[in-house]
């Protein structure tokens, strides 16, 4: 245990040799800080897939076009801009398995992304989509139009946390913090990996895939509070 404590002290206080590569060549303390907040969303997003199957690829394509027009009509009827619908990744696939009636079956598929900037329309939009045929693979998520402001506030709080940690470490050796030698949002990759302190990957952002069961329908209709977080890694020189 004593050897481990001595090794940590040397890591914090002794300059690194030039051979350390990306590591600073002065005595430093490396500290991280994080902060988080629950924020009410004001923007919702929906992703799903439209598909049409037929032995005639053109007939399958027409079916998909009909569904796209129905989705556009739904948004227009609710007073939402059609420009907030994005159609992407249109593709044709031959269906696997035995041909039906001796004819190969084709599926035309496309992805749809809808931004709902007025969450008072969220339930009518989602309900309307769930009642349409040939729609599947729903994914929903929420965000805030204040994200830039909230992120800036969280970074400020995270910096305070990192400084508090660094001051405590320096005081433990009878030293004080000097100027900041480097700062990064998240992980200082070269440094943390060189020192064996690489953090785990952050959680993926806010979407989930569901089907059309009653339980899953209720989940899709819910507007969820979102958790935003920020972290910083800071290198402080030591006086």
């Amino acid at each position: 245990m004593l050897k481990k404590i001595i090794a940590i002290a040397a890591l914090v206080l002794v300059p690194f040799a030039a051979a350390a590569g990306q590591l600073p060549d002065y005595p430093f303390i490396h500290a991280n800080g994080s902060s988080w907040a629950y924020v009410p969303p004001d923007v919702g997003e929906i992703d799903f897939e439209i598909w049409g199957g037929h032995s005639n690829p053109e007939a399958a394509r027409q079916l998909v076009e009909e569904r796209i027009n129905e989705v556009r009509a739904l948004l227009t009827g609710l007073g939402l801009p059609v420009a907030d619908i994005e159609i992407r990744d249109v593709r044709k696939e031959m269906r696997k398995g035995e041909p039906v009636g001796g004819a190969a079956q084709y599926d035309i598929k496309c992805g749809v992304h809808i931004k709902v900037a007025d969450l008072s329309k969220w339930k009518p939009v989602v309900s309307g989509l769930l009642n349409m045929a040939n729609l599947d693979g729903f994914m929903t998520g929420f965000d805030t139009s204040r994200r830039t402001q909230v992120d800036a506030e969280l970074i400020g709080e995270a910096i305070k946390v990192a400084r508090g940690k660094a001051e405590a470490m320096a005081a433990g050796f009878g030293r004080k913090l000097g100027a900041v030698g480097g700062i990064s949002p998240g992980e200082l990759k070269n440094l943390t990996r060189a020192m064996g302190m690489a953090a785990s990957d952050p959680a993926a952002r806010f979407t989930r895939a569901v089907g059309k069961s009653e339980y899953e329908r209720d989940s899709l209709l819910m507007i969820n509070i979102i958790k935003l977080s920020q972290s910083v890694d800071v290198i402080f020189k030591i006086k």
Side-chain angles (χ1 to χ4, degrees):
M1 181 64 181
L2 179 59
K3 290 182 179 179
K4 184 176 181 181
I5 293 174
I6 292 173
I8 293 174
L11 176 65
V12 174
L13 294 175
V14 177
F16 282 89
Q22 298 293 329
L23 301 183
D25 59 359
Y26 50 79
F28 70 95
I29 287 178
H30 166 240
N32 56 50
S34 59
S35 61
W36 54 270
Y38 287 102
V39 181
D42 57 12
V43 178
E45 299 180 38
I46 311 169
D47 285 275
F48 57 92
E49 187 174 75
I50 300 177
W51 62 273
H54 202 279
S55 58
N56 182 345
E58 179 61 24
R61 186 194 64 78
Q62 290 179 358
L63 177 58
V64 170
E65 288 289 343
E66 290 174 7
R67 294 294 177 266
I68 292 173
N69 290 334
E70 290 176 8
V71 172
R72 288 174 174 154
L74 172 65
L75 265 66
T76 301
L78 293 171
L80 296 173
V82 174
D84 287 345
I85 303 175
E86 180 184 354
I87 308 298
R88 54 197 180 192
D89 190 25
V90 180
R91 59 198 186 278
K92 180 176 73 172
E93 300 176 356
M94 182 178 293
R95 189 176 301 177
K96 296 180 180 179
E98 292 296 325
V100 178
Q105 294 291 303
Y106 294 89
D107 287 327
I108 304 295
K109 299 181 180 181
C110 70
V112 182
H113 176 82
I114 298 177
K115 177 182 177 180
V116 182
D118 180 0
L119 287 185
S120 68
K121 308 291 179 64
W122 179 258
K123 289 186 178 181
V125 169
V126 174
S127 295
L129 294 173
L130 290 174
N131 289 331
M132 292 183 187
N134 302 97
L135 273 60
D136 205 353
F138 287 89
M139 300 176 71
T140 63
F142 300 93
D143 204 350
T144 172
S145 57
R146 296 178 56 249
R147 175 174 283 274
T148 300
Q149 176 187 342
V150 174
D151 283 348
E153 294 171 355
L154 292 175
I155 287 176
E157 292 297 322
I159 289 173
K160 292 179 183 178
V161 173
R163 175 174 286 277
K165 289 181 180 180
E167 288 174 344
M169 286 189 285
F173 295 102
R175 305 290 288 270
K176 293 184 179 180
L177 291 185
V180 173
I183 184 170
S184 171
E187 173 190 319
L188 287 172
K189 293 182 179 179
N190 292 338
L191 175 64
T192 50
R193 297 193 187 283
M195 298 170 65
M197 297 190 299
S200 58
D201 292 335
R205 223 185 138 182
F206 60 79
T207 55
R208 63 187 187 279
V210 297
K212 292 189 178 183
S213 72
E214 288 305 312
Y215 173 77
E216 290 164 337
R217 288 174 67 97
D218 291 343
S219 297
L220 282 168
L221 292 168
M222 290 177 59
I223 297 175
N224 301 309
I225 299 295
I226 55 177
K227 181 179 179 180
L228 300 181
S229 63
Q230 286 289 332
S231 62
V232 296
D233 266 9
V234 189
I235 297 174
F236 296 92
K237 296 181 181 181
I238 303 173
K239 291 182 180 179

